[in-house]
Amino acid sequence: MLKRTAALSLFLVVVLGVLAMAPVVGAQDATELSFWTFVPAHQTFWEDSAARWNEANPDRQITLNATTSEYQAMHDNLLAALLSGVGAPDLVDIEIAKFPTFMKGEIQLYDLTDVVAPYSDVLLQTRLAPYQKDGAQYGIDYHVGTFVMYYNKDVMDAAGVDIDSIRTWDDYVEAGKQVTADTNGDGEIDRWMTHIETADRFSALALQLMNGGGIYDADGNFILTSQENIDAVQFVKDMIYDSQIASLTPGTGNHDQAFYDAMVQGMFGSVWMPQWYMIRFSQLMTDLDGKILVRPMPVFEEGGYTSTMGGGTGTAITLQIAPEKLQLAMDFMAFTKLERDATIRIWTDLGFDPLRTDIYDDPALAAPLEYFGNESVFTTIKELQSNLAVEYLGPLYADAVDVLRSQTYYEIFANNADVATALQAAADQVEQAAQ
Amino acid sequence: MNRLTTFIYSRKAAPWVFLAPFLILFLVFKVFPVVLAVLMSFQKIQGINTGEFNGVANYEALASNVRFGVALRNTTLYTVGTLIVLIPIPLIIAVLLDSGRVVKATVFRTILFLPALTSLVVVGTVFRAVLNPTGLLNSAIEQVGAQPQRWLEVAELAIPSLILLAAWRWTGINIIYFSSGLVNISKEIYEAAAIDGANAFQMFWRITLPLLRPTTLFVVILTIIGGFQVFVEPYILYPGGQSPGDGGLSLAYLIYRTAFNSFNLGSAAAMGVVLALIIFILSLIQFRFFGAFQREG
């Protein structure tokens, strides 16, 4: 008898405990929305937005269950969840190089064309393109990712180069010859104009796009072996083997600690990367505080493309969302990604260049930044967006990026392989893999 | 007793009841996926809800797939490398630790086993620092007057770097295997040999090695399987697992990329089947070579 009483009391304690731990549900019965991302800052951004949404919409409350996991794992889990038909979140961040994977077969994402439509006048249309398929919009990016040139002021000054006189790529190479030097006389060059990645895509792909190349064109043709691509990659290669103003990137990519160390030590005068790379400088290369100046990308010819876009993350809504939540999720997406106030926060909170062009003159964006020479960096970025080369995606994009990063660029830049042959080999491999 | 208890207590049913938890999990999570993978390898699956049987097209495509060739070569080199390093060295260390001539053998055993317990994220970070152009390894190389290398930036150095990492990670575990094998060798045999005038080397060569054969077979097969399935080492050593010039591209990593990055599940399944066949055939050869199929006595 005693045993039974004890068991019953234990049961009651457990039940009460579980009840006590359950979340207190608000008076309005907030709707739960789940969100996956691989960037902690994005999670914070969406949670802040949910708080503002709840203030503004007392009758449509949201409880946002946001989760950040590692890049590969998150995309793998998403793919597995969409394949199996259960377990996917309502809203999800999909990185640009992964996006085409989710565009294959029956697309498991909602068409967001109607979400974007009211804002189409103020959005940079060229940045919507990567996330479209057959005219439908499946993702909305955080930023444009405009490519800019980051100069180390100390290094350029020591070499006697006026960075504002560099306008074309030819100017850049000429200036590079002045910068590249063996400063301590040990017979080895210790100061380079720049460096070229051998296991990542930013160094070469930026020039490919600015030269009218890329992996896909606007009509969805696979153009990896186009003359524009060959010329651009050859131009980059010549920086290493002809004019010899560039070394190979220490650590093989611009996101490697070995590169950060070399950059901080003043080994390089410049590096071109998308605008979002600014936070890598301010957070990971703190010793360069005040020394990095952001300038426009050099152009191939006057009137040509002023810059291009690199990287990106599109937020999407999966088909697994409960139908009654769909409209709320779409409205919340617009509120977080497209409303004027929200896009200003993309710059102030996340440090990204937003897609919305009518805010480019807002004082919040024009404010000078101490780390970057106390200059108004956004003024430079704004100028560049007049004629951006667009990056188009297609079904073979992910494979192409994979092969370029892991084989082709290494063969060309590190092993001095012939550009046309190497690009042809890459294209053959990518096309063959898709058979 | 009702019918259920009669059934459970019956001599025929009881073993199955006890085995059921394992068997069910094994069938659902091992056998079923394997069968499914073999089926998928004969299909073209590129995207959600797509899939049509295309015969042996996936296997034919592998023959001309450049990256598959590279991955196969890398994986074979890596396996051979780990065999060269991870059999003799742990064996010798285990014999030394077992010989009773090492002071505080347990301490050494623990230290050597620690790498196996270390978090992989930590291992990746530390090894990237060690293999950095200005890292520990290059400092050591310069000390002995040799030329420092760009370990993580040159395709040809990827496999040596991976073998180094594997050697650090797995030596301790193989020592444990060999040590447990050594315990089973009777000390009397050594005593008898000593009386007959055998020296330490002769005892090692004539007694330890032959009597350790079952353990060695086990370790060799595990190393071969581990070598061909290598995935974690390149994944943690290179950002996202992408090594320069595909120098560290392994078969398992290529399968993963083909499935989850290219979303080409049929082709990935075909690679998986080929990998399984390679391991199966090599293991069979091993068993034959070591005479495991011969009847005792």
Side-chain angles (χ1 to χ4, degrees):
Chain A
M1 191 62 208
L2 192 66
K3 246 187 191 170
R4 194 182 261 181
T5 320
L8 196 68
S9 354
L10 187 68
F11 174 74
L12 278 174
V13 167
V14 169
V15 167
L16 286 174
V18 168
L19 284 178
M21 279 189 289
V24 181
V25 179
Q28 292 86 7
D29 280 346
T31 307
E32 284 194 28
L33 288 177
S34 53
F35 170 64
W36 285 2
T37 182
F38 51 93
V39 184
H42 292 184
Q43 177 174 345
T44 316
F45 183 74
W46 279 84
E47 284 168 347
D48 290 349
S49 179
R52 281 196 305 281
W53 168 278
N54 285 341
E55 264 175 46
N57 300 280
D59 53 335
R60 297 177 79 196
Q61 295 285 293
I62 289 174
T63 306
L64 186 71
N65 297 322
T67 319
T68 305
S69 31
E70 190 268 331
Y71 171 80
Q72 296 285 0
M74 195 220 82
H75 288 97
D76 296 350
N77 290 345
L78 179 66
L79 198 58
L82 293 177
L83 260 175
S84 60
V86 284
D90 301 326
L91 297 144
V92 66
D93 272 355
I94 304 175
E95 200 260 341
I96 193 165
K98 292 279 188 184
F99 213 86
T101 304
F102 295 90
M103 293 287 107
K104 289 184 175 179
E106 288 176 17
I107 298 173
Q108 301 295 301
L109 307 173
Y110 268 107
D111 178 359
L112 303 176
T113 312
D114 292 342
V115 178
V116 176
Y119 305 89
S120 61
D121 294 348
V122 292
L123 292 178
L124 197 69
Q125 293 299 316
T126 49
R127 193 47 175 172
L128 296 173
Y131 306 101
Q132 290 166 349
K133 192 180 182 190
D134 302 329
Q137 188 76 38
Y138 290 103
I140 303 171
D141 209 321
Y142 289 83
H143 56 70
V144 180
T146 316
F147 262 94
V148 292
M149 189 67 79
Y150 298 93
Y151 289 102
N152 183 334
K153 187 174 177 295
D154 284 1
V155 172
M156 300 307 283
D157 284 352
V161 172
D162 170 20
I163 56 171
D164 290 310
S165 70
I166 300 173
R167 298 189 51 82
T168 66
W169 281 110
D170 291 333
D171 296 343
Y172 182 82
V173 171
E174 281 311 308
K177 290 175 185 166
Q178 209 172 317
V179 173
T180 306
D182 168 17
T183 55
N184 61 9
D186 69 350
E188 278 183 34
I189 293 171
D190 48 36
R191 192 177 71 193
W192 298 88
M193 179 64 165
T194 190
H195 53 85
I196 306 299
E197 294 173 311
T198 49
D200 213 336
R201 67 184 191 277
F202 297 102
S203 299
L205 204 50
L207 274 79
Q208 288 172 250
L209 289 162
M210 281 184 73
N211 200 37
I215 295 170
Y216 278 92
D217 68 6
D219 303 321
N221 300 310
F222 184 64
I223 54 159
L224 190 57
T225 53
S226 73
Q227 195 58 44
E228 288 83 0
N229 277 315
I230 296 173
D231 292 346
V233 176
Q234 184 66 50
F235 190 87
V236 176
K237 186 186 165 189
D238 286 346
M239 290 189 198
I240 305 169
Y241 293 100
D242 182 41
S243 56
Q244 301 186 3
I245 61 163
S247 75
L248 303 179
T249 305
T252 72
N254 291 344
H255 290 97
D256 197 280
Q257 188 60 43
F259 165 65
Y260 300 145
D261 292 346
M263 190 76 200
V264 168
Q265 284 158 17
M267 204 172 142
F268 301 110
S270 63
V271 52
W272 60 89
M273 276 302 272
Q275 174 280 329
W276 47 256
Y277 197 72
M278 281 169 68
I279 54 173
R280 302 296 194 289
F281 274 108
S282 54
Q283 290 176 2
L284 301 171
M285 292 175 263
T286 45
D287 289 355
L288 294 176
D289 194 354
K291 295 176 186 169
I292 298 296
L293 299 181
V294 177
R295 287 293 177 273
M297 287 292 271
V299 293
F300 277 109
E301 53 186 11
E302 295 291 342
Y305 287 119
T306 47
S307 179
T308 185
M309 50 191 75
T313 297
T315 311
I317 298 178
T318 71
L319 290 190
Q320 289 181 23
I321 189 172
E324 66 273 16
K325 293 180 181 177
L326 179 61
Q327 193 54 50
L328 179 66
M330 285 182 166
D331 294 347
F332 182 47
M333 172 86 90
F335 180 84
T336 310
K337 282 274 183 93
L338 303 170
E339 283 290 330
R340 186 185 170 90
D341 182 45
T343 43
I344 292 174
R345 282 171 197 279
I346 285 186
W347 173 258
T348 55
D349 296 3
L350 289 175
F352 296 154
D353 51 344
L355 277 67
R356 198 170 155 144
T357 49
D358 65 335
I359 58 158
Y360 284 6
D361 293 317
D362 193 280
L365 276 72
L369 298 174
E370 208 179 308
Y371 183 96
F372 297 94
N374 215 18
E375 294 183 341
S376 167
V377 175
F378 208 85
T379 314
T380 305
I381 294 167
K382 188 179 128 191
E383 281 168 24
L384 288 176
Q385 291 178 346
S386 59
N387 191 14
L388 283 184
V390 183
E391 175 160 44
Y392 296 100
L393 309 188
L396 302 178
Y397 182 87
D399 304 67
V401 166
D402 222 18
V403 171
L404 288 173
R405 284 181 60 177
S406 52
Q407 277 188 4
T408 317
Y409 290 146
Y410 181 83
E411 282 303 316
I412 295 171
F413 301 136
N415 284 352
N416 199 4
D418 178 65
V419 174
T421 316
L423 286 178
Q424 187 61 53
D428 290 346
Q429 266 192 67
V430 170
E431 286 181 320
Q432 192 250 9
Q435 298 280 300
Chain B
M1 285 210 283
N2 60 28
R3 282 175 64 189
L4 183 68
T5 38
T6 324
F7 173 74
I8 290 173
Y9 281 99
S10 80
R11 274 177 170 252
K12 271 185 186 162
W16 293 106
V17 171
F18 285 115
L19 282 173
F22 165 76
L23 279 180
I24 291 168
L25 289 175
F26 182 71
L27 288 173
V28 172
F29 292 107
K30 292 272 183 191
V31 178
F32 177 65
V34 167
V35 173
L36 209 60
V38 174
L39 283 177
M40 281 167 77
S41 73
F42 296 105
Q43 285 175 288
K44 180 175 180 173
I45 311 173
Q46 298 182 10
I48 288 166
N49 292 343
T50 62
E52 54 189 56
F53 279 93
N54 63 350
V56 292
N58 290 330
Y59 291 93
E60 280 172 2
L62 286 189
S64 56
N65 185 330
V66 180
R67 292 191 90 191
F68 183 72
V70 171
L72 193 60
R73 190 201 63 199
N74 287 347
T75 311
T76 310
L77 282 176
Y78 173 82
T79 307
V80 172
T82 48
L83 278 176
I84 292 173
V85 176
L86 280 173
I87 303 300
I89 296 176
L91 175 63
I92 291 167
I93 297 177
V95 170
L96 284 177
L97 288 174
D98 193 61
S99 67
R101 291 176 199 172
V102 178
V103 187
K104 304 266 183 210
T106 325
V107 175
F108 280 105
R109 220 169 253 150
T110 312
I111 290 173
L112 287 164
F113 189 71
L114 273 180
L117 304 172
T118 314
S119 148
L120 285 169
V121 181
V122 176
V123 174
T125 313
V126 169
F127 263 79
R128 283 190 68 76
V130 169
L131 297 170
N132 204 333
T134 53
L136 195 66
L137 183 63
N138 272 351
S139 304
I141 289 174
E142 278 180 54
Q143 287 296 318
V144 296
Q147 188 69 26
Q149 301 291 329
R150 303 178 83 81
W151 294 99
L152 295 171
E153 300 171 24
V154 179
E156 290 74 20
L157 290 176
I159 295 298
S161 301
L162 290 171
I163 292 172
L164 192 74
L165 174 55
W168 180 82
R169 234 186 119 202
W170 297 112
T171 299
I173 291 187
N174 285 2
I175 289 174
I176 299 285
Y177 291 141
F178 282 122
S179 294
S180 56
L182 287 171
V183 171
N184 290 328
I185 301 176
S186 166
K187 296 285 173 216
E188 287 158 18
I189 306 175
Y190 290 104
E191 282 165 20
I195 292 166
D196 289 344
N199 62 29
F201 179 77
Q202 283 171 324
M203 284 196 250
F204 173 74
W205 195 252
R206 298 282 167 99
I207 300 172
T208 313
L209 267 190
L211 288 176
L212 260 185
R213 204 167 65 176
T215 313
T216 314
L217 171 69
F218 174 72
V219 177
V220 166
I221 287 180
L222 275 194
T223 309
I224 289 178
I225 293 176
F228 271 96
Q229 289 185 338
V230 61
F231 176 85
V232 172
E233 277 82 358
Y235 193 82
I236 57 171
L237 199 55
Y238 297 100
Q242 280 188 309
S243 52
D246 271 347
L249 180 75
S250 76
L251 268 183
Y253 182 75
L254 182 65
I255 293 172
Y256 163 70
R257 290 300 282 189
T258 308
F260 282 93
N261 197 55
S262 309
F263 208 165
N264 196 339
L265 300 182
S267 181
M271 292 182 196
V273 171
V274 171
L275 176 59
L277 282 178
I278 291 173
I279 293 175
F280 180 69
I281 291 169
L282 283 176
S283 301
L284 272 188
I285 294 172
Q286 286 300 311
F287 278 118
R288 254 210 118 78
F289 182 69
F290 279 86
F293 286 146
Q294 289 161 15
R295 285 176 179 279
E296 292 283 326

